[in-house]
Amino acid sequence: MLEIKKEPRAREIEVMRGLIKDRGSYLYYLVQAAKKKGADWEGIARCGMSAFGCMKFRAKFSQIQGLDDFLEAYLSEETKQIFDSYLIERDEDHAVIRAGYCPLMHAWVECGGDDAQVAKLCDIAMDADRAQVNSIPALSFSLRKSLAEGDDQCEFLVELCRKKEETT
């Protein structure tokens, strides 16, 4: 069973963690209901999470031009505390972010999800992050490590896209 590690935070941060956990529980129970109905639950969930990520891009990241703008918007003080996240590596072309706690994963474990279910839900939920960041023309996003896969932390790589030189 996956282990939940959580550093206690100020009341406001714990409230925000709770709200995110609620969102995780919604996803868990919607997926369970879709499975029972015989629906293409994974396709539906991935489509919904990608649409959610695109909406988040339009709401918060549409003016982002590069890596510096992105990091400023993505790694707010609240986000750092909610997810126990921090920047571990940065140069002009890329940034690596680690996160040591995930309220979504915490919710899925509490709802009774086994390791395989939690890992699948995590990958589906990451479609929102992928869509959000990959909507920024200058950037690409990938997940290198995942708490839900048993890693000690999540690790995200955000890279500056290089335009391919045209050959003539």
Side-chain angles (χ1 to χ4, degrees):
M1 182 56 78
L2 293 167
E3 184 180 344
I4 305 295
K5 297 176 187 171
K6 178 177 116 169
E7 294 290 322
R9 298 290 183 207
R11 181 184 177 288
E12 295 82 12
I13 297 300
E14 291 300 330
V15 166
M16 287 190 273
R17 283 177 166 178
L19 294 170
I20 295 168
K21 276 180 64 180
D22 277 352
R23 192 175 78 197
S25 298
Y26 297 154
L27 178 61
Y28 181 88
Y29 289 111
L30 284 170
V31 163
Q32 296 308 311
K35 283 181 182 181
K36 285 181 185 175
K37 295 288 185 180
D40 173 17
W41 65 270
E42 184 175 348
I44 292 166
R46 286 189 184 282
C47 183
M49 293 308 289
S50 292
F52 176 69
C54 289
M55 180 275 301
K56 296 274 292 179
F57 161 75
R58 289 188 303 274
K60 188 173 179 181
F61 291 96
S62 63
Q63 301 303 311
I64 301 293
Q65 297 296 314
L67 203 47
D68 291 333
D69 293 342
F70 169 77
L71 290 171
E72 185 177 328
Y74 190 79
L75 277 179
S76 68
E77 285 307 312
E78 293 82 11
T79 297
K80 288 177 186 177
Q81 290 185 47
I82 291 167
F83 295 97
D84 291 338
S85 59
Y86 51 98
L87 187 65
I88 64 161
E89 189 177 311
R90 169 74 167 94
D91 67 20
E92 62 194 31
D93 295 322
H94 80 284
V96 178
I97 301 164
R98 283 201 180 145
Y101 174 72
C102 178
L104 295 169
M105 188 181 102
H106 195 152
W108 302 326
V109 170
E110 283 185 357
C111 288
D114 62 28
D115 290 0
Q117 289 172 311
V118 170
K120 178 64 80 175
L121 288 171
C122 173
D123 189 58
I124 290 168
M126 290 306 302
D127 282 354
D129 293 273
R130 290 180 192 104
Q132 182 178 359
V133 179
N134 292 336
S135 292
I136 302 167
L139 301 178
S140 69
F141 175 92
S142 60
L143 179 65
R144 295 184 358 176
K145 292 182 180 181
S146 170
L147 289 162
E149 291 286 346
D151 293 316
D152 62 334
Q153 296 184 329
C154 289
E155 189 172 286
F156 313 105
L157 172 65
V158 181
E159 294 180 286
L160 199 57
C161 295
R162 296 285 183 211
K163 293 184 179 181
K164 295 181 181 177
E165 293 181 29
E166 293 184 33
T167 19
T168 54

